[in-house]
Amino acid sequence: MDKETRNDLPGIQWFPGHMKKAQRLIEENLKLVDVVIELLDARIPASSANPMLAEIIKEKPRLIALNKSDLADSASTKRWLAYFRAQGIPAVAIDSVKGRGMKQLVAKAEELARPKTDRFVKNGGRPRAARCMILGIPNVGKSSLINRLASAVKAKAADKPGVTRAKQWIKIGAALDLLDTPGILWPKFEDQTVGLKLAFTGAINDDIYDREQVTALLLSVMRRDYPERLQERFKFKGDMPEDGIELLEAIGRKRGCLVKGGVVDLEKAQNIVLTEFRSGKLGLVTLDEVPQSASTESADEKRGDKE
């Protein structure tokens, strides 16, 4: 989506009342924690970063965890980790379902909290665990992460966005306490491509946008950036249709999504495409391109000076 400007993007806005309550809950409880862990979707690290959160947490130590890294392009994930670290923000890649990166995440959270916990003891307090707050947009995997860390299903998880709603403390061993909070989206997407990518990955409820148009646009992006994935998965031979809707219809025919008269059941075809994309069956995909950081630009300039 970054490589061209589209004027036919569907307008997507979603800021239900429970998200406003979540924002207030975060603001009220921020003083209770030492570190904020912001969970991002590794497939869309920029689009899944809530700009409101940066304003809310301000100077609080912050750790970024790129979740669902098993579904993202590994080379892109490495570039994104380097980008965040260049901004002075510690970052780790994790897979909360399979448990990859958990030890690194906990160790980094404890390290970031140590100045405050050490100061607490120095001032006469009893040693205590590091206190962290888990933040992120809906459906980014917070509950799955907490369940993995706690080795028990203590946080209610679901496939639909917006299920985790109430504040809850969860103890992770002796060294870390986690305060889970509901996922929140920002009130307005300034860039409609951001809303579109959130729809692609399932961060936005499927019921609030035109699924046919969104699925067609997803296929257009996949055809442009990862054509071999579509050819392999849906057994295309030769050229694929260029138009997203025509491509969706072709996939529906290949998968037998037909109703009376040989007409393609587009809703069934949409379900197949979205489900297979979100589960990684269309391959490892990263939709957000890594910005060139100031530090990278500086390094490039230095190399240029030497040359």
Side-chain angles (χ1 to χ4, degrees):
M1 293 303 299
D2 297 310
K3 297 178 182 176
E4 63 182 26
T5 301
R6 300 201 55 127
N7 296 318
D8 57 346
L9 297 178
I12 298 174
Q13 298 298 333
W14 191 45
F15 197 61
H18 78 264
M19 290 191 177
K20 293 181 181 179
K21 293 178 183 177
Q23 181 181 342
R24 288 197 296 271
L25 187 70
I26 290 170
E27 292 171 337
E28 291 168 3
N29 291 282
L30 193 63
K31 60 182 178 294
L32 301 177
V33 301
D34 310 317
V35 176
V36 170
I37 298 175
E38 183 180 3
L39 210 56
L40 303 179
D41 188 322
R43 297 168 296 179
I44 50 170
S47 299
S48 60
N50 186 338
M52 287 172 56
L53 296 184
E55 297 173 9
I56 293 169
I57 65 177
K58 296 178 182 176
E59 301 302 318
K60 186 74 66 172
R62 174 181 170 205
L63 170 62
I64 285 178
L66 295 182
N67 195 27
K68 304 187 181 183
S69 60
D70 58 310
L71 301 177
D73 180 273
S74 59
S76 293
T77 297
K78 289 179 181 177
R79 289 195 294 272
W80 272 108
L81 290 173
Y83 169 77
F84 286 123
R85 291 165 183 165
Q87 312 306 307
I89 306 171
V92 298
I94 65 171
D95 173 2
S96 61
V97 175
K98 297 178 182 176
R100 190 172 72 85
M102 295 299 104
K103 290 182 179 179
Q104 186 182 8
L105 177 69
V106 171
K108 182 57 68 173
E110 292 175 4
E111 177 186 329
L112 289 172
R114 196 162 296 129
K116 185 170 181 179
T117 54
D118 286 351
R119 187 164 61 249
F120 184 74
V121 172
K122 187 177 180 180
N123 292 335
R126 295 179 61 183
R128 63 166 175 80
R131 294 172 180 169
C132 300
M133 180 184 284
I134 301 282
L135 297 179
I137 65 171
N139 213 31
V140 77
K142 296 193 309 299
S143 296
S144 297
L145 170 60
I146 293 169
N147 293 339
R148 169 63 64 173
L149 289 172
S151 299
V153 181
K154 295 181 179 178
K156 184 180 179 183
D159 293 333
K160 294 184 178 181
V163 167
T164 306
R165 301 195 179 194
K167 178 182 72 172
Q168 52 187 328
W169 282 100
I170 299 173
K171 195 164 190 62
I172 309 300
L176 190 66
D177 290 339
L178 292 179
L179 174 62
D180 182 39
T181 54
I184 60 173
L185 286 169
W186 46 106
K188 182 180 180 182
F189 306 128
E190 299 297 336
D191 181 352
Q192 281 300 322
T193 61
V194 169
L196 195 60
K197 290 172 186 175
L198 292 169
F200 289 166
T201 57
I204 297 176
N205 194 309
D206 286 341
D207 297 331
I208 61 106
Y209 59 82
D210 185 332
R211 293 176 81 251
E212 182 177 310
Q213 188 179 10
V214 165
T215 307
L217 286 168
L218 171 59
L219 288 172
S220 294
V221 172
M222 291 295 294
R223 188 188 186 284
R224 184 192 68 202
D225 295 343
Y226 300 95
E228 70 284 354
R229 307 282 176 77
L230 296 179
Q231 289 173 330
E232 181 180 346
R233 184 67 185 173
F234 299 114
K235 306 293 190 269
F236 281 107
K237 294 179 181 178
D239 293 336
M240 293 181 290
E242 292 188 10
D243 179 75
I245 293 293
E246 292 179 7
L247 187 51
L248 179 61
E249 290 178 348
I251 289 171
R253 291 189 184 282
K254 285 182 173 293
R255 288 295 180 86
C257 304
L258 302 176
V259 293
K260 189 175 180 179
V263 177
V264 175
D265 183 339
L266 288 178
E267 185 174 354
K268 190 173 182 181
Q270 293 161 30
N271 290 336
I272 288 173
V273 171
L274 291 175
T275 298
E276 297 199 1
F277 171 77
R278 292 169 183 173
S279 64
K281 291 179 180 177
L282 298 188
L284 307 183
V285 174
T286 299
L287 298 175
D288 280 341
E289 295 180 3
V290 183
Q292 189 174 35
S293 69
S295 60
T296 303
E297 291 172 353
S298 176
D300 289 342
E301 289 173 0
K302 289 180 180 177
R303 281 195 293 272
D305 291 341
K306 290 180 180 178
E307 293 170 1

